[in-house]
Amino acid sequence: MTQTSPGPVDVGPRSAEASPPANTRATAVVYALTAALPALAAVGLLVLMGSSGPGGGTALTGAGPADHSVQLFISIAVVILAARLFGRLATAVGQPRVVGEIFAGLCLGPSVLGALLPGAGAWLFPAELRPVLQGLADLGLIALMFVVGQETRQTSFKGQGRVAMAVAHAGIAGPFLGGALLAILLYPDWAGPQADPVVFAMFLGSALSITAFPVLARILVERGMLRTLLGRLSMLCAAIADVVAWCLIAAMTAVAGRDTPARAVLTVALVIVYGAAMAWIGRPWLARIFAALEGGREEVRLLVLLSGLLLSAAATSAIGIHAIFGAFLYGLCCPAGSVTRLTERIDTVSGVLLLPFFFVGTGLRTDVWRSGLDASLLGVTALVIVVAMLGKLAGPMLMARASGFGWPDSMTLGVLLNTRGLTELVVLNLGLALGLLSDRLFVALVVMALVTTAAAAPLLGLLDRVRGHGDRRRRGL
């Protein structure tokens, strides 16, 4: 018996509302006549009315808020994508990601984009958008300093505290002395309008003493050194050095720009009181609060964490020093175990979305052409680089050698502590905002931060080859 294939399933009689077969060409023609052409005509009419009415159609010609919104969204996209692209390129050639991000900010500023395409640079970052971009950058800085405070707190001093303390002190004293000597040479012509000789010397000494704790951690992870003796020791030294350096910078910030000695003393006293209150009262209370919230919803803990972070930043800002010091103190005082996952989330959002605007802000302030790319700027830049590198290399290297490390390991420690990166840019922007740096010296110091950070990878590679060659010689190969 022959079987026939079943036809379409009959779902019932066709209803009166079912769509009839469509004529595609006729539908397109009718759509153009009844929908597309009337819509285009309406838009054209609105344009004509706007251009002929009062104000000349500012909303459609580029001066209205809608136009700035478009610029803002495009600027945000360009900044994030440029930071990501240059960061990837940096890691591809063996450099820390932050080197590429710094370079991206410089390229988007007047030194590169503004020089090659001044119209594009002015349209992408108009004066009306600068406060918004600066606000995003400030949020990124606050988040960064909180993360640095957390990482500093989680660094264990067990078994290596004495050596780390000695090496860290050597890594502070040498660069600080070098910065103070530079200040004597540079003060008459290179200091900012608000700098007196003592504050200028304190600032340069503190700036040259900085080690970029987050950059150092990433270099150690990328090279597989984080769990080694040398890696742990470098993290300890960086933590100690940065705490001391930030205390010096906080004191200098409290004094800078104050009209009378009484106001400076009051600001310093308030900073000390707030730091003591955070350490003795805030720290145990934060531990109790997050312990009580443990096991609950993560969103609630994140809300409490961010609220406390912003309040601490606001407190130091109200005292008269930068909000980053409040964020750093808050990171130091928050319990490490309870907020570790939250810290990672903040670090991710900050690194991808917010910190690129800080790099762009630095790039917009760095104009090598306006500063005058002449022999004096090149000479001062070279001098600053040499003093910064020698100060950070010599002291830690000699102290590590005296503590029993071999020369290659001692030199490796000095190279690791020479990475300044993002943290140095934070300090330099602070000095420029306080009027302690001239535009020309700011350019020289930004280049120094970039060079000292970029030099770490090739120098570490060279030391690895020296160490490997020495091992082969000892084995008789």
Side-chain angles (χ1 to χ4, degrees):
M1 184 174 179
T2 304
Q3 294 183 348
T4 59
S5 59
V9 178
D10 189 0
V11 296
R14 183 182 297 272
S15 64
E17 290 80 8
S19 299
N23 186 326
T24 306
R25 181 176 298 179
T27 302
V29 171
V30 174
Y31 179 83
L33 294 174
T34 61
L37 288 178
L40 291 174
V43 171
L45 182 61
L46 291 175
V47 171
L48 291 174
M49 293 173 63
S51 60
S52 61
T58 56
L60 297 173
T61 56
D67 192 65
H68 290 323
S69 297
V70 171
Q71 287 175 285
L72 176 61
F73 298 144
I74 293 177
S75 299
I76 291 174
V78 168
V79 169
I80 294 174
L81 291 174
R84 195 69 174 176
L85 173 62
F86 279 81
R88 286 288 183 89
L89 292 175
T91 55
V93 297
Q95 288 291 337
R97 188 183 68 191
V98 69
V99 172
E101 293 172 337
I102 294 172
F103 195 69
L106 295 176
C107 287
L108 290 175
S111 298
V112 180
L113 180 63
L116 298 177
L117 299 170
W123 186 89
L124 195 60
F125 305 111
E128 295 83 359
L129 292 185
R130 299 289 179 91
V132 179
L133 300 178
Q134 184 59 47
L136 294 173
D138 289 341
L139 287 175
L141 281 183
I142 290 171
L144 168 72
M145 294 308 297
F146 167 75
V147 172
V148 171
Q150 271 286 288
E151 290 176 343
T152 304
R153 171 167 181 153
Q154 295 178 37
T155 305
S156 173
F157 290 80
K158 185 176 181 181
Q160 297 174 332
R162 183 175 299 176
V163 175
M165 194 72 71
V167 173
H169 288 169
I172 296 170
F176 194 95
L177 176 60
L181 293 174
L182 271 179
I184 296 174
L185 178 64
L186 299 178
Y187 178 75
D189 300 317
W190 295 80
Q194 301 299 321
D196 63 62
V198 175
V199 174
F200 184 62
M202 285 180 62
F203 177 81
L204 277 187
S206 302
L208 267 59
S209 303
I210 285 289
T211 296
F213 198 92
V215 177
L216 173 61
R218 290 185 177 94
I219 291 175
L220 294 174
V221 170
E222 291 170 2
R223 299 183 64 86
M225 297 176 61
L226 188 61
R227 303 302 177 189
T228 65
L229 174 62
L230 205 59
R232 293 197 304 271
L233 182 61
S234 64
M235 291 285 284
L236 288 173
C237 294
I240 297 169
D242 276 10
V243 169
V244 174
W246 281 116
C247 289
L248 290 173
I249 293 169
M252 175 269 303
T253 305
V255 174
R258 300 299 182 267
D259 297 331
T260 62
R263 288 187 61 189
V265 170
L266 177 62
T267 303
V268 172
L270 289 175
V271 170
I272 295 173
V273 170
Y274 182 71
M278 285 293 291
W280 294 333
I281 301 174
R283 185 171 175 173
W285 270 103
L286 287 169
R288 292 191 187 98
I289 290 171
F290 284 104
L293 295 174
E294 193 73 32
R297 295 178 61 186
E298 190 174 85
E299 290 79 4
V300 175
R301 284 183 286 135
L302 182 61
L303 176 64
V304 173
L305 181 68
L306 291 176
S307 300
L309 172 59
L310 294 173
L311 289 174
S312 182
T316 55
S317 183
I319 287 172
I321 62 174
H322 202 282
I324 58 177
F325 298 105
F328 181 70
L329 274 174
Y330 188 73
L332 280 176
C333 295
C334 276
S338 302
V339 299
T340 299
R341 177 174 168 77
L342 301 179
T343 302
E344 292 173 354
R345 292 179 62 180
I346 293 174
D347 191 23
T348 300
V349 173
S350 171
V352 173
L353 184 61
L354 298 176
L355 277 179
F357 295 96
F358 172 72
F359 296 120
V360 169
T362 302
L364 292 175
R365 297 183 187 96
T366 307
D367 189 348
V368 297
W369 314 114
R370 183 183 64 189
S371 300
L373 189 59
D374 53 17
S376 62
L377 178 59
L378 294 175
V380 168
T381 302
L383 179 62
V384 168
I385 292 172
V386 170
V387 172
M389 293 195 70
L390 287 180
K392 271 291 189 183
L393 278 171
M397 180 179 66
L398 294 175
M399 185 57 66
R401 184 71 182 93
S403 301
F405 288 88
W407 280 115
D409 287 344
S410 300
M411 293 177 69
T412 298
L413 187 60
V415 170
L416 289 171
L417 295 179
N418 229 320
T419 55
R420 289 173 171 86
L422 173 59
T423 311
E424 182 72 23
L425 295 186
V426 175
V427 177
L428 298 182
N429 278 275
L430 181 60
L432 187 65
L434 291 171
L436 303 180
L437 299 177
S438 65
D439 290 338
R440 287 165 60 82
L441 186 55
F442 179 75
V443 170
L445 290 170
V446 168
V447 174
M448 178 273 294
L450 187 59
V451 169
T452 54
T453 307
L459 289 176
L460 290 173
L462 177 62
L463 290 171
D464 285 344
R465 289 193 293 274
V466 170
R467 190 181 290 107
H469 181 67
D471 291 342
R472 287 193 297 272
R473 289 185 58 185
R474 282 192 294 270
R475 291 197 301 267
L477 298 178

